[in-house]
């Protein structure tokens, strides 16, 4: 699982930083989380292709999280996209996109599927290799975060034990799924004799614009990597609360409470030119923290 940061700023582009946009890559499928203004420019800049982009998730309808979407859809159409595109977001977003396409008399050459997101936490996508779920956060308007889960590949084989019990390689896939092996003439070979626990699922949580709250803590507990907005520094805590945003310190506090493995900070206010103070502030509370730098790729590896 790889996360590429295309935009890490808040409402206004500033100091070369673009509004929110990320790409999550897994098993040959790309997932976009939010699509702020300039997303496709950033894709070109950092060599991010749209060929494997199948799913786009929009957290809420503030412009810095979706103004880049109509342009990206139009560009993919001009460049000959034919594969389906699934967009998930607040229900009004569909009519916004349709109207933009209609007034330009744009006919998409690929299937476009819109899926409304709203209300309580729910699973949005479930495939054999990964899933995506949403959960509500607390912002000035309806807003959701997302959890991307890369599923386990099954139990890990013990090759020497498999050979010792004479298990044919054609049965290895069933072993990975936890099945026992029963030879035609012989006793059952229990799965735990020839396998061990496989790698756990890898989980990435994306907490879009939200004030500091523990209301969604259950949905992000123990994730491998947590992206949490950090619009302000601690000196602007009152302003953060007034505008339904969080500070770097508050993001770190939530990461610590959730027991996550890594924290990424993003969605920085344009009032700040330097980002190192965000890292310093958060690290005092949660040491394993990084700044979500544009163009950087953050990989979540399976434990050995």
């Amino acid at each position: 699982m790889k996360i590429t940061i295309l935009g890490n700023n808040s409402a206004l582009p500033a100091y070369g930083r673009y509004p929110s946009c990320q790409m999550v890559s897994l098993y040959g499928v790309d997932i976009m989380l939010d699509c702020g203004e300039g997303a496709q420019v950033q894709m070109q800049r950092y060599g991010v292709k749209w060929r494997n982009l199948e799913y786009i998730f929009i957290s809420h309808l503030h412009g810095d999280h979706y103004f880049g979407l109509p342009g990206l859809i139009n560009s993919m159409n001009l460049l000959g996209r034919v594969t389906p595109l699934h967009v998930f977001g607040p229900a009004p977003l569909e009519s916004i996109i349709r109207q933009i396409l209609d007034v330009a008399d744009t006919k998409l050459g690929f299937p476009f599927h819109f899926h409304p997101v709203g209300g309580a936490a729910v699973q949005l996508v479930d495939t054999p290799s990964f899933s995506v779920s949403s959960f509500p956060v607390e912002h000035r308007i309806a807003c959701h975060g997302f959890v991307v889960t890369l599923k386990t590949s099954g139990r890990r084989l013990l090759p020497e034990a498999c050979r010792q019990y004479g298990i044919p390689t054609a049965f290895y896939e069933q072993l990975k799924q936890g099945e026992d092996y029963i030879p035609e003439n012989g006793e059952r070979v229990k799965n735990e004799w020839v396998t061990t626990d496989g790698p756990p699922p890898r989980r990435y949580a994306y907490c879009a614009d939200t004030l500091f709250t523990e209301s969604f803590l259950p949905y992000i507990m123990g994730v491998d990597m947590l992206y949490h907005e950090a619009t302000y520094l601690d000196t602007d805590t009152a302003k953060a609360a007034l505008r339904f945003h969080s500070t770097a310190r508050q993001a770190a506090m939530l990461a610590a409470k959730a027991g996550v493995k890594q924290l990424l900070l993003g969605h920085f206010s344009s009032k700040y030119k330097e980002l190192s103070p965000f890292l310093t502030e958060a690290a005092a509370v949660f040491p394993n923290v990084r700044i979500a730098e544009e163009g950087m790729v953050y990989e979540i590896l399976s434990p050995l």
Side-chain angles (χ1 to χ4, degrees):
M1 181 186 288
K2 297 180 180 180
I3 298 94
T4 303
I5 307 300
L6 298 176
N8 67 357
N9 221 48
S10 57
L12 299 175
Y15 309 112
R17 305 193 300 259
Y18 282 66
S20 297
C21 185
Q22 301 182 7
M23 193 80 83
V24 182
S25 303
L26 25 79
Y27 288 141
V29 174
D30 287 339
I31 294 171
M32 180 175 281
L33 301 176
D34 280 333
C35 188
E37 181 183 356
Q40 60 178 317
V41 173
Q42 292 290 81
M43 291 173 70
Q44 293 176 4
R45 175 173 294 163
Y46 297 119
V48 177
K49 309 299 183 183
W50 56 262
R51 297 291 179 184
N52 294 327
L53 178 57
E54 296 186 19
Y55 303 93
I56 299 177
F57 297 86
I58 303 298
S59 62
H60 65 297
L61 292 184
H62 281 158
D64 54 320
H65 293 261
Y66 82 97
F67 277 177
L69 182 58
L72 177 60
I73 291 173
N74 186 65
S75 292
M76 289 190 293
N77 191 53
L78 292 173
L79 291 170
R81 182 187 180 105
V82 295
T83 55
L85 179 67
H86 295 267
V87 174
F88 296 76
L93 179 59
E94 181 177 18
S95 61
I96 294 172
I97 295 173
R98 300 286 185 192
Q99 186 173 5
I100 290 174
L101 296 175
D102 289 345
V103 296
D105 193 29
T106 299
K107 302 294 189 296
L108 294 180
F110 58 89
F112 175 79
H113 305 286
F114 185 85
H115 309 270
V117 177
V122 66
Q123 188 171 75
L124 303 174
V125 175
D126 187 25
T127 77
S129 56
F130 69 90
S131 65
V132 183
S133 59
S134 67
F135 57 91
V137 298
E138 297 188 32
H139 194 41
R140 190 163 56 84
I141 63 173
C143 185
H144 284 78
F146 304 103
V147 174
V148 182
T149 301
L150 184 62
K151 297 180 180 180
T152 179
S153 57
R155 294 186 62 78
R156 183 176 287 135
L157 300 179
L158 300 174
E160 189 60 38
C162 290
R163 287 191 289 270
Q164 178 183 340
Y165 285 102
I167 300 176
T169 56
F171 195 79
Y172 281 6
E173 195 59 40
Q174 287 97 311
L175 290 177
K176 288 183 178 181
Q177 303 308 312
E179 294 185 25
D180 293 342
Y181 175 65
I182 306 175
E184 291 185 6
N185 298 304
E187 295 184 0
R188 176 190 296 267
V189 178
K190 292 186 177 181
N191 189 272
E192 60 264 30
W193 296 349
V194 293
T195 70
T196 187
D197 290 339
R202 280 161 277 174
R203 299 170 64 226
Y204 176 63
Y206 176 85
C207 296
D209 294 14
T210 180
L211 54 72
F212 175 57
T213 174
E214 296 182 18
S215 62
F216 53 83
L217 193 60
Y219 306 112
I220 64 172
M221 290 295 295
V223 298
D224 295 279
M225 184 178 290
L226 169 69
Y227 169 88
H228 195 289
E229 72 119 287
T231 308
Y232 296 102
L233 291 172
D234 203 46
T235 52
D236 286 316
T237 298
K239 183 181 290 186
L242 181 66
R243 298 183 177 180
F244 286 81
H245 286 297
S246 300
T247 68
R249 180 174 179 273
Q250 290 171 336
M253 290 169 60
L254 193 68
K257 285 180 177 291
V260 308
K261 296 180 177 65
Q262 301 177 71
L263 171 64
L264 273 182
L265 300 177
H267 198 266
F268 306 110
S269 169
S270 58
K271 71 174 290 185
Y272 306 104
K273 181 177 181 179
E274 299 298 328
L275 299 182
S276 57
F278 288 85
L279 191 65
T280 301
E281 184 173 291
V285 178
F286 187 85
N288 195 8
V289 58
R290 302 175 74 177
I291 295 293
E293 297 182 42
E294 292 182 356
M296 287 293 293
V297 179
Y298 303 90
E299 188 168 4
I300 301 176
L301 299 173
S302 175
L304 296 177

